[in-house]
Amino acid sequence: MADGLLAAGELGPEAMGPGPERTGWAAEEAGLFQDEDSCSDRGDCDKPGTSLPSFVLEGKTNFPEMFQTSHLLFYERFRAYQDYILADCKASEVREFTAEFLEKVLEPSGWRAVWHTSVFEVLVEVTDVDFAALKAVVRLARPHLCESRVSTFTVESVSELLDLKGHQLPLQELWVVFDESGAFDQTALAVEHVRFFYQHIWRSWDEEEEDEDDYFVRCVEPRLRLHYDILEDRVPSGLVGDYRSLLSQCEESYRKFSNLRSSLSSCHADTEQENLSMVEGLKLYSEIEQLKQKLKLIENPLLRYVFGYQKNSNIQAKGVRANGQKVTHVVSPAMMTGLLQSLLRDRLCQEPCEEDTEIQFHSDPLAAVNACYEGDTVIVCPGRYMVPGTFSIADSIELEGYGLPDDVVIEKCGKGDTFVDCTGADVRISSIKFVQHDAVEGILIIHRGKTTLENCVLQCETTGVTVRTSAEFLMKTSDLYGAKGAGIEIYPGSKCTLSDNGIHHCKEGILIKDFLDEHYDIPKISMVNNVIHNNEGYGVVLVKPTIFSDLQENAQDGTEEDAALERQTGGEAAAGAGAELDELMGCAARRVAPPAGEQVEGNCEILSELVAASTQKGQLRRKRLSELGITQADDGLMSQEMFVAIVGNQFRWNGKGSFGTFLF
């Protein structure tokens, strides 16, 4: 979708001549009219004739001009689908509602169009419209006009193809020929909305979804928003790639499933082959449902933000130099004698060395980091450095500022997904201010290994720091602010230590993700003496599935099976579970400072919720194992604690409070 367009035979911008970025579209009573904003932009509302732009196929001057309708804005398409085409229809009623709309606005005959496919373009005349089938009845226009990318495909071939199709073509394959009178404006726009809908919104499986909800709200709006978010570079390129891959996989699996279902419906014998086909069908169905859920997570703007995506970092570590030597890289816009003397005194010659240390000088911090091998050090001298690319740190290096963070500023310029990517085993960054602009992803992502951030300032724009699964992050005496997402995102299976930091003026302070996946443990978190304040939402948010709520309700209400089990065991199982939770809560209580007012209450609340989440996750894991007939002693609950300490943190003036949960 981000490539904007030559999908399914749609004309891309590269095939069009220049045209304005917006055209208006709306409806009033029986007719359609241009939006006032569009008219005022063009200044021709009072003039008779069309208000739509036109374009000519690139390199095909023999073809007539066509209406250019592919650059409609989000709100124009949104309004069209919501108010005039789909309204509150169900998925099974989409074709019916679309046909009713077309009957009102589409000219049934008398207009010409270019039949555009990936192989050829042909000029045709529309003689009738089959609204129910969303097809136009056409004939070849005279004089014949056909251009093909296959030399053997001629006008005679087109005529034979039309005969095979009964001279009926899908509306989305037609591009309406330009007419200055304005008589076919509504027709051109209506065909554009049908074309866009079936190329970017509609899915083959939509009709089989639950038909109770409003189809527009459930599917059309989120997919439409995602399409425009991608076009406007508001979605990470990795996530766009994931979405397209998932969509392709789901379409292929659904095609196989549909073919298999058709073959089973035509076969009545209870054969071994049929039984095998049914098993294969169940596997395909399960696969399709999983793929659909992943697609919905990405299509939903809120869930897309909450869950992010598991970006695979392909950064390769260089390792140690062949000669085993370590290099100190010095970065400065200009090296003056006074600065060099200070560096020699404070950093380069602090202690007598047995061997001489090689020093390399750079004017660009990105070039210095790219030149590093395992064990190198980069010293960045005071200055403001504009960096167009991404810091990809795959080796264990030290990146330190020589001075206060406000004096050593590294600022991102130009668009890009990330600013700093860390995969090294032991990366240390200190005394630097990072400023992020025009970004799609967070300012710092730790994919794996350990990254230590000390005495730094992070001025974010999207998400702040992301700590991926299996990564470790240590942040001390630093300041993070300005994130439109969470200041820090902590993934399951990671380790995060936060000490004496300020996290403020973000959408959420800290987002802790627990996806209830038995392959990942709840993250190990230590929060000591942090000030989390002035965030739009909560100071700390825990993301957890609704199954936690179900577990809590089951614990309160009790089931007949549990009651029977308790009678058989004399209540030992329940007592054991209660003692287990009490033990863990007691351990948690010992790790929290004595109550000292509202600020410390936030520490207790966070700790209690994490302990409960850990307990419930352990219970669910044991339940799954027991269903498979596997029993094991639960010795992991205390050894796999999700925290080291949550002590002395202050929560002030956060919009929704110190702690909250997000259920999915």
Side-chain angles (χ1 to χ4, degrees):
M1 289 189 298
D3 293 341
L5 298 164
L6 202 59
E10 182 174 356
L11 291 172
E14 67 279 0
M16 302 178 180
E21 285 296 314
R22 54 177 296 157
T23 58
W25 189 91
E28 181 179 64
E29 299 177 354
L32 302 175
F33 67 96
Q34 291 298 109
D35 282 352
E36 293 179 3
D37 290 344
S38 300
C39 294
S40 60
D41 288 345
R42 294 178 56 86
D44 57 2
C45 286
D46 296 331
K47 297 179 182 180
T50 182
S51 57
L52 293 175
S54 64
F55 75 98
V56 178
L57 284 170
E58 186 177 358
K60 296 180 171 56
T61 55
N62 293 330
F63 277 85
E65 291 181 285
M66 293 177 286
F67 284 106
Q68 187 188 83
T69 54
S70 62
H71 289 82
L72 296 178
L73 298 179
F74 166 79
Y75 81 89
E76 292 169 320
R77 296 193 192 275
F78 180 93
R79 189 177 178 190
Y81 293 128
Q82 182 184 48
D83 295 345
Y84 307 111
I85 303 178
L86 301 176
D88 57 353
C89 75
K90 301 175 181 178
S92 59
E93 300 171 332
V94 165
R95 184 173 285 269
E96 178 186 346
F97 273 58
T98 304
E100 289 179 2
F101 165 76
L102 292 175
E103 286 181 16
K104 296 176 183 177
V105 301
L106 197 69
E107 291 291 338
S109 62
W111 46 282
R112 297 190 304 165
V114 174
W115 177 19
H116 172 77
T117 71
S118 59
V119 178
F120 59 82
E121 288 83 28
V122 179
L123 186 63
V124 297
E125 293 180 357
V126 176
T127 60
D128 196 7
V129 176
D130 184 347
F131 294 105
L134 305 183
K135 291 183 177 182
V137 181
V138 305
R139 66 186 177 201
L140 289 177
R142 292 186 180 275
H144 295 321
L145 193 55
C146 172
E147 290 201 17
S148 171
R149 283 165 282 284
V150 180
S151 58
T152 56
F153 198 86
T154 63
V155 173
E156 289 73 20
S157 304
V158 174
S159 182
E160 292 176 6
L161 183 58
L162 279 175
D163 289 338
L164 288 173
K165 290 178 171 287
H167 286 261
Q168 290 195 344
L169 301 177
L171 287 171
Q172 56 261 40
E173 293 183 8
L174 299 179
W175 291 78
V176 182
V177 170
F178 184 73
D179 186 285
E180 292 183 349
S181 68
F184 299 115
D185 283 17
Q186 296 178 19
T187 295
L189 287 164
V191 170
E192 166 63 26
H193 286 300
V194 172
R195 175 170 41 247
F196 183 90
F197 176 80
Y198 281 102
Q199 287 178 348
H200 299 297
I201 305 298
W202 180 256
R203 307 285 183 253
S204 305
W205 52 85
D206 280 354
E207 257 183 325
E208 300 186 11
E209 293 273 308
E210 293 182 7
D211 224 12
E212 299 176 358
D213 299 331
D214 183 344
Y215 177 71
F216 177 85
V217 173
R218 181 165 50 88
C219 297
V220 178
E221 182 180 356
R223 291 171 187 170
L224 184 62
R225 288 188 184 279
L226 176 62
H227 176 83
Y228 277 89
D229 283 347
I230 290 173
L231 288 182
E232 295 167 13
D233 293 325
R234 291 200 293 264
V235 181
S237 58
L239 187 56
V240 175
D242 287 355
Y243 182 76
R244 288 174 176 163
S245 176
L246 289 169
L247 188 58
S248 177
Q249 291 175 46
C250 198
E251 288 172 345
E252 177 64 19
S253 297
Y254 184 78
R255 184 188 61 79
K256 292 179 181 178
F257 178 75
S258 298
N259 292 339
L260 186 62
R261 183 170 54 184
S262 299
S263 66
L264 285 172
S265 62
S266 60
C267 179
H268 301 289
D270 187 11
T271 63
E272 183 178 351
Q273 182 62 39
E274 183 183 3
N275 292 334
L276 291 174
S277 297
M278 291 182 67
V279 172
E280 183 182 352
L282 289 172
K283 289 181 179 178
L284 281 171
Y285 178 80
S286 176
E287 178 183 326
I288 291 167
E289 288 302 310
Q290 291 179 10
L291 289 169
K292 282 158 59 175
Q293 289 303 316
K294 291 178 180 178
L295 288 169
K296 288 177 181 178
L297 287 179
I298 300 175
E299 289 167 353
N300 185 299
L302 177 60
L303 295 179
R304 190 191 319 155
Y305 149 68
V306 170
F307 288 94
Y309 72 106
Q310 291 286 357
K311 176 181 177 182
N312 296 317
S313 178
N314 296 318
I315 311 169
Q316 297 296 323
K318 296 178 183 178
V320 180
R321 282 184 177 79
N323 60 9
Q325 191 173 13
K326 297 179 181 179
V327 174
T328 298
H329 304 262
V330 177
V331 181
S332 178
M335 183 55 65
M336 310 302 288
T337 56
L339 177 60
L340 182 57
Q341 289 175 350
S342 299
L343 281 169
L344 289 169
R345 181 184 66 248
D346 299 336
R347 291 287 189 275
L348 304 177
C349 298
Q350 287 179 291
E351 298 177 0
C353 300
E354 295 181 2
E355 298 180 1
D356 288 338
T357 301
E358 180 180 342
I359 301 173
Q360 296 181 8
F361 293 92
H362 308 264
S363 59
D364 177 14
L366 183 57
V369 170
N370 290 340
C372 283
Y373 283 74
E374 183 81 11
D376 283 6
T377 299
V378 178
I379 300 174
V380 185
C381 297
R384 194 173 194 91
Y385 303 89
M386 304 301 293
V387 176
T390 298
F391 287 92
S392 299
I393 306 176
D395 292 282
S396 298
I397 68 170
E398 291 188 26
L399 176 61
E400 61 176 275
Y402 181 52
L404 298 174
D406 286 337
D407 296 329
V408 184
V409 180
I410 301 178
E411 186 170 350
K412 178 70 183 281
C413 63
K415 284 192 174 182
D417 283 353
T418 58
F419 195 1
V420 183
D421 268 355
C422 293
T423 59
D426 188 9
V427 178
R428 297 175 181 272
I429 304 173
S430 61
S431 302
I432 296 176
K433 180 177 182 178
F434 292 93
V435 180
Q436 182 187 38
H437 292 300
D438 206 14
V440 179
E441 290 191 69
I443 196 167
L444 170 62
I445 299 181
I446 301 101
H447 297 276
R448 55 183 178 271
K450 178 181 179 182
T451 296
T452 301
L453 197 73
E454 185 171 3
N455 192 33
C456 288
V457 176
L458 302 181
Q459 181 179 318
C460 311
E461 187 172 80
T462 52
T463 301
V465 179
T466 301
V467 190
R468 297 288 186 188
T469 299
S470 302
E472 182 177 354
F473 179 55
L474 173 60
M475 179 174 169
K476 299 187 292 185
T477 59
S478 296
D479 194 39
L480 186 157
Y481 61 91
K484 294 177 183 175
I488 299 178
E489 286 187 359
I490 304 173
Y491 273 68
S494 64
K495 183 176 181 180
C496 186
T497 302
L498 307 174
S499 175
D500 301 289
N501 303 292
I503 302 171
H504 55 98
H505 294 92
C506 303
K507 183 177 177 64
E508 311 285 353
I510 300 171
L511 190 71
I512 303 171
K513 301 185 176 186
D514 174 32
F515 300 159
L516 201 71
D517 190 326
E518 61 267 24
H519 299 296
Y520 298 130
D521 295 320
I522 288 179
K524 295 179 173 63
I525 301 169
S526 174
M527 294 171 55
V528 179
N529 298 331
N530 300 284
V531 181
I532 303 172
H533 65 96
N534 290 102
N535 295 292
E536 181 182 336
Y538 293 101
V540 178
V541 177
L542 174 66
V543 178
K544 62 180 183 178
T546 51
I547 192 168
F548 277 169
S549 299
D550 297 338
L551 287 171
Q552 290 171 346
E553 291 175 5
N554 290 340
Q556 292 171 358
D557 301 336
T559 61
E560 293 182 3
E561 294 179 3
D562 292 338
L565 178 63
E566 186 173 348
R567 285 193 297 270
Q568 293 172 9
T569 59
E572 292 178 5
E580 188 178 66
L581 180 58
D582 289 343
E583 183 181 0
L584 188 55
M585 289 297 292
C587 177
R590 291 192 295 273
R591 295 176 182 266
V592 180
E598 182 181 354
Q599 295 172 7
V600 177
E601 289 179 5
N603 294 276
C604 299
E605 187 179 4
I606 296 168
L607 201 56
S608 304
E609 189 65 32
L610 289 176
V611 169
S614 178
T615 305
Q616 292 161 352
K617 189 166 183 175
Q619 291 172 352
L620 185 64
R621 181 182 290 145
R622 290 196 301 274
K623 181 180 179 182
R624 286 175 177 172
L625 291 173
S626 65
E627 288 173 352
L628 296 173
I630 301 172
T631 58
Q632 64 175 20
D634 186 16
D635 56 356
L637 189 59
M638 292 302 297
S639 62
Q640 296 178 3
E641 295 169 8
M642 82 302 295
F643 61 89
V644 177
I646 299 181
V647 178
N649 302 286
Q650 300 181 37
F651 300 88
R652 300 175 177 175
W653 310 302
N654 295 295
K656 296 183 179 179
S658 59
F659 179 78
T661 56
F662 179 89
L663 297 175
F664 66 94

